[in-house]
Amino acid sequence: MMEFEPVRVAVLGAGRPNVATQNHLPAIVESEFLELVGVGDVLEGVEEYAEQYGVKAYREYGEMLDDPEVEVVQVATPDWCHAEQVVQGLEAGKHVQVQKPLCASLGEIEVMREAQRRTKGHLGVVLNTRRLHRSRFLKELLEEGVIGELVHIDQVHVGRRFPLRDFGSRYYTTQAGSVWLHNGMHVLDTAAMYAAAAPVGVQGVSNRNPEGEAELLGSAENFVRAMVEFGNGLTGNFEHNTMMTSGELPSFGFVRFVGTEGEIYSGRGIEGVAVRRRGEEERVLEPGGPEPAADVQASFRMAFEEFARTVRDGEEREPGFELSCRVMEILFRALDGEEVAR
């Protein structure tokens, strides 16, 4: 077995407690396939994280891009910064792995596609949810054919938006999109993994409850339902409802797989995974796996390591950049209430 040279990574957006500092940095240093060489942010806090991990601090993005030691830039900045920073990274000759969502507008998808085509760098999205233990457990059940051939996927989330202390944050504005865009990429990417096919069409409807506390509702649409068609004929119904007006109301969610011989259900009301087959009693399976926090951290590490392998051998791993683009297109079309034909 050939020795794997660790891929040298710098993380942009690591100036305060966030996904970059709480998930990216620990996952990188845990991996034998990655080497953390620097952290970047305009915030002063980046100096503290650099000292904590014994790496370089970049107060300007250009400094990170000019550093020949950096092979991969992980972009973990606010959503509306992603497209420009990804393009800058690719044009500087770096490989780039960007936090979801890929971008904040439909037009930016083609800008990023074009940048990837004309540069030599690999581009990927950090989609760790497909690597969570329960997600992989559900995928294995589907591949084993426990409910026959998969026909349809239902996935529902009802709850609050992500709470922020700063009500002036751009995350509360319509221009920043919605919780559907911020978190929906995980939902549709994982569904594409379950379906073993890319989404190819959508019918969407969205709405907004304007009454309630700002930290719960925001100013963008807080209800989206999308009926999605996948390339192999499967369908999916996805609902993201953050219209809740009170923090006292319970949140819940579930995913249900309908097959030719039964269904699988995971979510509200049961601890494990229910398998229901025609003519048989319901079975509840225990997925097992690590504690939630460790599971999340492992999922980030796996996502980073797979991208590192792509950097070294040039072979793109799932989900792949083009699938991520297609998922984002479907999210935007659904939010706009558009119908996209197959």
Side-chain angles (χ1 to χ4, degrees):
M1 182 176 179
M2 294 182 60
E3 184 177 350
F4 189 96
E5 179 186 356
V7 172
R8 301 184 301 277
V9 181
V11 179
L12 183 66
R16 60 183 177 84
N18 57 19
V19 69
T21 56
Q22 295 172 337
N23 298 111
H24 283 239
L25 300 185
I28 292 169
V29 298
E30 285 176 3
S31 174
E32 62 181 311
F33 299 103
L34 303 163
E35 178 186 354
L36 181 67
V37 297
V39 290
D41 206 300
V42 296
L43 301 177
E44 291 181 2
V46 71
E47 303 285 352
E48 297 179 15
Y49 288 105
E51 182 178 358
Q52 177 183 341
Y53 285 93
V55 298
K56 303 172 187 175
Y58 309 97
R59 295 298 297 276
E60 298 290 340
Y61 187 30
E63 296 175 2
M64 181 184 291
L65 298 182
D66 289 340
D67 189 345
E69 191 175 11
V70 176
E71 293 182 275
V72 171
V73 171
Q74 290 186 355
V75 175
T77 53
D79 301 353
W80 52 88
C81 300
H82 288 180
E84 181 179 5
Q85 291 169 340
V86 164
V87 171
Q88 290 172 338
L90 290 171
E91 290 179 340
K94 308 299 185 184
H95 306 285
V96 181
Q97 195 171 23
V98 59
Q99 254 296 330
K100 60 79 192 166
L102 179 61
C103 53
S105 71
L106 186 58
E108 288 175 331
I109 298 174
E110 190 54 39
V111 172
M112 297 169 85
R113 275 189 174 122
E114 196 279 329
Q116 192 210 27
R117 284 193 291 264
R118 61 183 167 79
T119 59
K120 297 180 180 180
H122 293 286
L123 175 55
V125 185
V126 180
L127 293 165
N128 63 295
T129 300
R130 62 164 48 222
R131 297 168 175 92
L132 291 171
H133 179 80
R134 183 170 290 242
S135 299
R136 291 182 284 120
F137 180 78
L138 292 170
K139 176 64 173 175
E140 289 172 4
L141 292 179
L142 295 171
E143 290 179 337
E144 290 168 5
V146 298
I147 56 170
E149 183 180 348
L150 181 61
V151 176
H152 178 80
I153 304 170
D154 277 319
Q155 189 157 356
V156 172
H157 170 79
V158 177
R160 298 186 297 149
R161 62 179 288 120
F162 45 92
L164 297 174
R165 298 187 190 94
D166 178 13
F167 298 158
S169 169
R170 284 185 62 179
Y171 275 112
Y172 283 121
T173 65
T174 303
Q175 290 75 20
S178 66
V179 183
W180 169 253
L181 291 182
H182 186 74
N183 291 326
M185 193 170 189
H186 277 317
V187 174
L188 282 191
D189 172 71
T190 308
M193 178 187 74
Y194 295 140
V200 295
V202 64
Q203 290 179 302
V205 61
S206 62
N207 199 356
R208 178 171 180 267
N209 179 5
E211 302 299 328
E213 301 172 53
E215 68 269 27
L216 301 182
L217 299 180
S219 65
E221 287 87 346
N222 45 35
F223 174 88
V224 181
R225 175 174 288 168
M227 178 64 77
V228 176
E229 181 184 4
F230 294 90
N232 54 4
L234 272 67
T235 54
N237 177 59
F238 305 94
E239 178 181 319
H240 208 79
N241 182 345
T242 55
M243 283 183 162
M244 299 176 74
T245 58
S246 169
E248 302 302 317
L249 295 173
S251 300
F252 68 89
F254 66 83
V255 59
R256 176 171 53 225
F257 305 93
V258 180
T260 54
E261 299 175 18
E263 68 176 47
I264 297 170
Y265 176 92
S266 175
R268 185 185 189 186
I270 63 170
E271 291 295 326
V273 173
V275 177
R276 303 158 181 160
R277 290 175 55 89
R278 285 197 310 270
E280 299 180 9
E281 291 187 3
E282 177 179 293
R283 293 184 294 148
V284 177
L285 308 178
E286 295 299 330
E291 293 297 316
D295 188 23
V296 170
Q297 202 57 37
S299 71
F300 275 93
R301 178 178 50 77
M302 285 187 277
F304 298 159
E305 289 180 345
E306 288 176 15
F307 189 72
R309 292 186 180 95
T310 293
V311 169
R312 284 289 176 257
D313 64 21
E315 181 180 340
E316 189 174 53
R317 270 71 177 178
E318 293 184 355
F321 177 64
E322 188 52 40
L323 175 59
S324 295
C325 289
R326 188 57 180 162
V327 165
M328 281 302 302
E329 288 171 340
I330 294 293
L331 290 172
F332 282 115
R333 301 298 188 187
L335 186 62
D336 292 337
E338 297 184 27
E339 179 176 349
V340 181
R342 181 177 167 84

